[in-house]
Amino acid sequence: MLRELARQDRALIAGIAAYRRHPWQRTLADPPALWAEGGSRLLDYGATAAPSPDAPVLLVVPSLVNRAHVLDLMEGGSMLRFLAARGLRPLLLDWGWPGEVERRFTLTDYIAGRLERALAVAAGEAGGPVLLVGYCMGGLLTLAAAGRRPDLVRGLALLATPWDFHAGDPDRARALAAALPLYEPALAFAEALPVDVLQTMFAALDPFGIAAKYRGFARLDPASPRARLFVALEDWLNDGVPLAAPVARECLSGWYGRNDPARGAWRVAGLPVDPAAVRVPSFVAVPGRDRIVPPESALPLAKALPGAVLHQPTAGHIGMAAGSGAEAALWRPLAEWASAV
């Protein structure tokens, strides 16, 4: 047993060392910004492929706690450039780093304020309602915005989006909420939930998986496409974004603790967030191997949205959007749905 533990430790250390010395760096340049407010920008990925003037416009909204470029990760591995090359015009809402103003934001400030203003700009570019696409936490934000501004939305796509936070493992959700008092000193000092705390929370979802992936990386040819993709994803994962303190409190207490969305108790600017009230074509992608948003948490959205198209790829949370099989798992089905709406 001791020899096996020593062997695994050597493989883990070798994998970490191989990652640290790997030469790959992200070199993709951002497309032009159509609009900016605070640290946020609306990036026009239509400029990467020169779509037709009547190309369907998609406003793509990622999570608040990760860098937006996971959807534009690397050459040959960009969901947004793939969609643009297929006749669509994706606009990415890059939330950016929360500055002094954003650190006082609530979910209402982000949704009824910044997101809705970006949505109005996107609709102006389209000359009418747009397709709204939300990934992970971004799906919850877009769902709320679609309910509030149906005049600006003609279709809604939710990708790996949680809804029932107590489905599958309610004790884990309540434990995250119960830890909020421990984070209060950091929230009060930084006015945000620090990146290190967020990284620890995500790592706790699959603690043994982290060691396993580095051991696997140690066995890869450093020049292989798999090795470059591993480094790209790890660089992205290790470059997180802090979460504004009021939003952190709302999410931990309201979403994870009380399960407000599934209970029908989540409100934005006083209005309930109700999927059943969203009367536009919808597409719900629920990856079957998702450890961050278990399928049991995301599937209720597909049932609650009237007439939703349910897509269930055999993929993980990040792999569906940016992995080696992402084109088949998500990009192509999403492009086909968006082109047909």
Side-chain angles (χ1 to χ4, degrees):
M1 183 180 292
L2 291 174
R3 282 196 296 271
E4 176 61 19
L5 289 172
R7 183 192 68 79
Q8 291 191 19
D9 283 347
R10 285 195 298 271
L12 172 59
I13 293 170
I16 294 172
Y19 164 65
R20 289 175 61 87
R21 64 173 175 262
H22 198 282
W24 185 88
Q25 290 185 330
R26 184 173 182 269
T27 57
L28 281 178
D30 289 338
L34 297 175
W35 167 87
E37 183 179 297
S40 305
R41 301 175 297 161
L42 189 61
L43 302 179
D44 183 6
Y45 279 85
T48 66
S52 65
D54 59 348
V57 172
L58 287 73
L59 175 56
V60 183
V61 181
S63 171
L64 292 169
V65 297
N66 293 113
R67 298 287 184 178
H69 73 254
V70 67
L71 303 175
D72 183 35
L73 191 65
M74 60 194 303
E75 294 285 353
S78 167
M79 184 181 90
L80 297 171
R81 292 170 199 261
F82 176 91
L83 296 174
R86 274 145 187 83
L88 302 166
R89 187 184 176 189
L91 308 179
L92 174 66
L93 178 54
D94 181 351
W95 295 109
W97 190 271
E100 183 179 354
V101 172
E102 290 90 352
R103 289 181 186 232
R104 297 184 177 90
F105 271 17
T106 64
L107 284 169
T108 287
D109 292 316
Y110 272 115
I111 296 165
R114 190 153 294 179
L115 173 53
E116 289 187 22
R117 287 191 287 274
L119 179 56
V121 172
E125 288 290 320
V130 302
L131 300 173
L132 198 50
V133 180
Y135 176 45
C136 188
M137 181 187 188
L140 287 159
L141 309 184
T142 57
L143 175 65
R148 289 177 47 80
R149 294 302 308 268
D151 56 315
L152 300 181
V153 179
R154 68 185 185 94
L156 177 66
L158 304 176
L159 316 176
T161 298
W163 185 249
D164 186 345
F165 286 79
H166 288 182
D169 191 352
D171 291 338
R172 184 180 72 173
R174 293 190 183 100
L176 284 171
L180 180 58
L182 300 177
Y183 305 141
E184 280 298 343
L187 292 171
F189 177 76
E191 297 183 305
L193 193 62
V195 173
D196 289 347
V197 174
L198 288 164
Q199 297 283 40
T200 300
M201 292 168 66
F202 284 122
L205 298 174
D206 186 19
F208 297 106
I210 296 172
K213 70 179 179 181
Y214 276 102
R215 293 186 189 110
F217 180 68
R219 298 191 292 269
L220 294 179
D221 175 359
S224 68
R226 283 187 64 192
R228 288 195 295 273
L229 177 59
F230 179 94
V231 174
L233 286 170
E234 284 303 296
D235 284 356
W236 170 75
L237 283 167
N238 293 325
D239 187 23
V241 180
L243 187 62
V247 175
R249 294 184 182 105
E250 286 182 79
C251 293
L252 288 172
S253 295
W255 291 357
Y256 286 93
R258 298 189 303 269
N259 199 19
D260 284 349
R263 292 175 49 244
W266 181 32
R267 293 177 176 267
V268 172
L271 298 178
V273 180
D274 180 10
V278 178
R279 300 289 176 172
V280 295
S282 56
F283 175 93
V284 180
V286 180
R289 295 202 297 258
D290 197 334
R291 291 189 176 91
I292 296 174
V293 178
E296 299 90 345
S297 175
L299 283 170
L301 268 178
K303 297 177 182 177
L305 284 163
V309 173
L310 174 60
H311 176 60
Q312 294 181 275
T314 304
H317 186 87
I318 299 169
M320 180 183 74
S324 58
E327 179 178 334
L330 177 63
W331 302 353
R332 206 179 307 135
L334 178 60
E336 291 170 357
W337 173 83
S339 298
V341 173

